[in-house]
Amino acid sequence: MRKLELHWQILIGMLLGIVFGFIMTYPDWGADFVMDWINPFGTIFVKLLKLIAIPLILASLVKGISDLKDISKFRNIGLRTIGIYIVTTVVAITIGLVLVNVLKPGNGISEETIAQLTETYASDAGVTSKIEEASRQKESGPLQFLVDMVPDNAFQAVSDNSLMLQVIFFTIFLGISMLLIGEEAARPLKDFFDSLNEVVLKMVDLIMLTAPVAVFALLANVVVSSGDPDLLYALLKYSGVVVLGLLLMIIFYSIVVSTFTRYNPFTFLSRISPAQLLAFSTSSSAATLPVTMERVEEHIGVDKEVSSFVLPVGATINMDGTSLYQGVAAVFISQALGFDLSLSGQLIIILTALLASIGSAAVPGAGMVMLVIVLESINFPADKLAIGLALIFAVDRPLDMCRTVVNVTGDAAVSMMVAKSVGKLHAPNPKNWDDHLDEVRGSGKKKK
């Protein structure tokens, strides 16, 4: 009997989780039961993925750079990666602004709904904390993101997943230094990182065995902890505009992949679908990174020299889905609250969202912090800022799940484009968790 493909297993787990979550919203004890006895399994799964994210970046990026043998190749990969990420982010924001200006979802929000949303969410700890965090980020200097990239303690950087840019900086510095001391002197360290890379990828395979159960737990918890259904319905038009824009971005990626790499777009989406489904379930590009790297390298055929740089950088600075959402959200809030937003204001949104995406953490909820920065850049009234965030807070979590899918899809698409441009896109070579099981059991043939 043929084993069901992983993406189908995950999808079934997601659907069952949603149905189970809806069922458990009816009993008074249902939500507590899900949060106490079901959600911990999803939390453990996300923690396991985060556990191996930093070791995977260290091992794969050092291996990728040391395999290059030529620093100029790394420069080519780096410049093309950053350039393409900037272009796709601008495209995403533009798509969002066009849709929200044409469909005008904010014009249909009644005063009663605004008052109800404000009363429910304006003083919510989640809203106020996002405003405070955005204020801290805005007070920093224009080059603060460059300062933040450079760690003063490598061990402290690798112990904190939120410092991923610092880990990438240190790892690139280490890899380039290994190239400069010559192949012979660097071989012991290279062999260590090569072996570590294989071990961590095997850990990804083992963790993914529990993915269907984990997404069941994560989605059930999302459903039982969602807000007032009536308020969610009132924001349906706004949510629809965001989701439409995100779907257009996935179509854009598919067209670009097909045009530049001659890769079947349906095959591309099918092979990264486990990463997309996990991105939807976890709302975190960083947590999904190990799976994204495994799917892109083994199932699509992007060489590790490319994926080990493009994907970690993308998980940190490439926020296409989030940037699109910010464009839609900023104009939607302006429409709903009667704030006049000129063409120049919308151009400022594009620029600010682009810059904010570079410094944004790849964690759930970071998009709201970026949105505050975007709103303040267009001189949105400070006294209405909490009201504006309250308008969209009710649907932020489900939209966060959707836009993380686009972020991850964009990372995979850009890695393919960069790989194709430098001749590093080859035939896929998928591996399974039990490839070496016979050797472990002692029944494998001994090598002569």
Side-chain angles (χ1 to χ4, degrees):
M1 183 176 177
R2 186 181 176 186
K3 185 180 178 182
L4 198 63
E5 292 285 347
L6 179 61
H7 60 273
W8 288 116
Q9 295 180 43
I10 295 175
L11 190 59
I12 290 171
M14 290 173 63
L15 294 175
L16 290 176
I18 292 171
V19 172
F20 181 75
F22 275 119
I23 292 173
M24 296 305 287
T25 56
Y26 291 101
D28 293 336
W29 50 268
D32 290 335
F33 176 82
V34 170
M35 285 187 258
D36 291 341
W37 296 97
I38 304 297
N39 186 53
F41 294 102
T43 303
I44 291 170
F45 176 77
V46 174
K47 291 180 75 171
L48 284 172
L49 288 175
K50 290 182 176 180
L51 170 70
I52 63 173
I54 297 296
L56 182 61
I57 291 172
L58 278 168
S60 62
L61 195 47
V62 168
K63 175 176 170 55
I65 295 173
S66 60
D67 284 345
L68 284 173
K69 306 289 192 303
D70 184 356
I71 296 180
S72 64
K73 292 182 180 178
F74 178 72
R75 181 190 62 199
N76 292 337
I77 292 173
L79 291 176
R80 293 178 193 197
T81 299
I82 301 301
I84 296 173
Y85 277 147
I86 290 174
V87 171
T88 59
T89 302
V90 171
V91 169
I93 303 167
T94 304
I95 288 175
L97 290 177
V98 169
L99 287 177
V100 75
N101 279 286
V102 171
L103 299 177
K104 301 184 184 302
N107 291 353
I109 303 293
S110 66
E111 292 292 334
E112 293 77 12
T113 302
I114 292 174
Q116 187 180 3
L117 286 165
T118 303
E119 182 181 352
T120 306
Y121 295 109
S123 59
D124 187 278
V127 171
T128 55
S129 66
K130 298 296 187 296
I131 296 175
E132 291 170 1
E133 176 61 27
S135 298
R136 282 195 294 270
Q137 290 191 22
K138 192 178 179 185
E139 288 171 2
S140 60
L143 297 181
Q144 185 62 38
F145 75 97
L146 290 177
V147 176
D148 292 339
M149 282 176 56
V150 183
D152 55 10
N153 187 320
F155 294 100
Q156 182 180 344
V158 299
S159 66
D160 188 345
N161 280 34
S162 66
L163 301 177
M164 197 172 291
L165 268 180
Q166 293 190 3
V167 175
I168 294 170
F169 177 89
F170 169 72
T171 309
I172 291 173
F173 195 19
L174 177 63
I176 291 175
S177 299
M178 286 173 61
L179 281 178
L180 293 175
I181 66 173
E183 187 175 352
E184 190 63 31
R187 181 171 287 115
L189 194 56
K190 184 181 185 305
D191 290 342
F192 167 77
F193 280 111
D194 287 354
S195 178
L196 178 62
N197 180 70
E198 291 297 325
V199 171
V200 176
L201 285 176
K202 187 59 64 179
M203 292 172 75
V204 175
D205 292 336
L206 292 173
I207 293 171
M208 289 302 290
L209 293 176
T210 65
V213 175
V215 297
F216 168 87
L218 290 167
L219 266 296
N221 184 66
V222 167
V223 172
V224 298
S225 60
S226 61
D228 187 341
D230 293 334
L231 295 182
L232 298 178
Y233 181 76
L235 296 171
L236 192 60
K237 190 176 179 183
Y238 157 71
S239 303
V241 173
V242 175
V243 172
L244 176 60
L246 297 177
L247 287 174
L248 290 176
M249 273 307 294
I250 290 182
I251 293 172
F252 168 74
Y253 293 137
S254 301
I255 293 172
V256 169
V257 165
S258 176
T259 303
F260 286 94
T261 69
R262 303 299 178 187
Y263 206 94
N264 187 308
F266 297 105
T267 304
F268 162 68
L269 293 175
S270 172
R271 290 182 177 173
I272 66 164
S273 56
Q276 292 175 314
L277 295 172
L278 284 181
F280 182 81
S281 304
T282 63
S283 300
S284 173
S285 302
T288 313
L289 179 60
V291 181
T292 309
M293 294 184 73
E294 187 260 352
R295 301 304 298 188
V296 166
E297 291 170 11
E298 297 182 13
H299 297 265
I300 290 180
V302 174
D303 199 288
K304 187 174 291 294
E305 297 172 9
V306 175
S307 63
S308 61
F309 175 78
V310 176
L311 294 175
V313 170
T316 310
I317 71 170
N318 182 48
M319 301 286 175
D320 290 351
T322 305
S323 299
L324 183 148
Y325 142 85
Q326 286 160 6
V328 175
V331 178
F332 166 77
I333 291 171
S334 300
Q335 291 171 348
L337 298 181
F339 178 72
D340 186 29
L341 191 57
S342 63
L343 177 60
S344 61
Q346 300 202 28
L347 292 176
I348 291 173
I349 289 176
I350 294 178
L351 179 60
T352 309
L354 174 62
L355 295 175
S357 68
I358 296 174
S360 174
V363 296
M368 288 282 280
V369 176
M370 295 166 63
L371 177 60
V372 176
I373 296 172
V374 170
L375 287 172
E376 289 183 342
S377 72
I378 57 175
N379 297 318
F380 191 82
D383 58 332
K384 292 186 177 181
L385 201 55
I387 299 174
L389 292 188
L391 276 177
I392 61 172
F393 191 76
V395 291
D396 183 65
R397 181 58 197 272
L399 292 182
D400 195 8
M401 297 162 72
C402 294
R403 61 189 186 244
T404 306
V405 174
V406 173
N407 293 343
V408 168
T409 307
D411 295 343
V414 172
S415 71
M416 289 185 67
M417 293 168 63
V418 174
K420 182 68 174 179
S421 69
V422 295
K424 296 292 183 179
L425 186 62
H426 49 70
N429 181 28
K431 299 176 184 178
N432 298 310
W433 73 271
D434 57 354
D435 285 344
H436 301 280
L437 200 57
D438 288 340
E439 296 176 27
V440 176
R441 288 172 173 169
S443 59
K445 295 182 180 179
K446 293 183 179 180
K447 294 181 180 179
K448 294 183 179 179

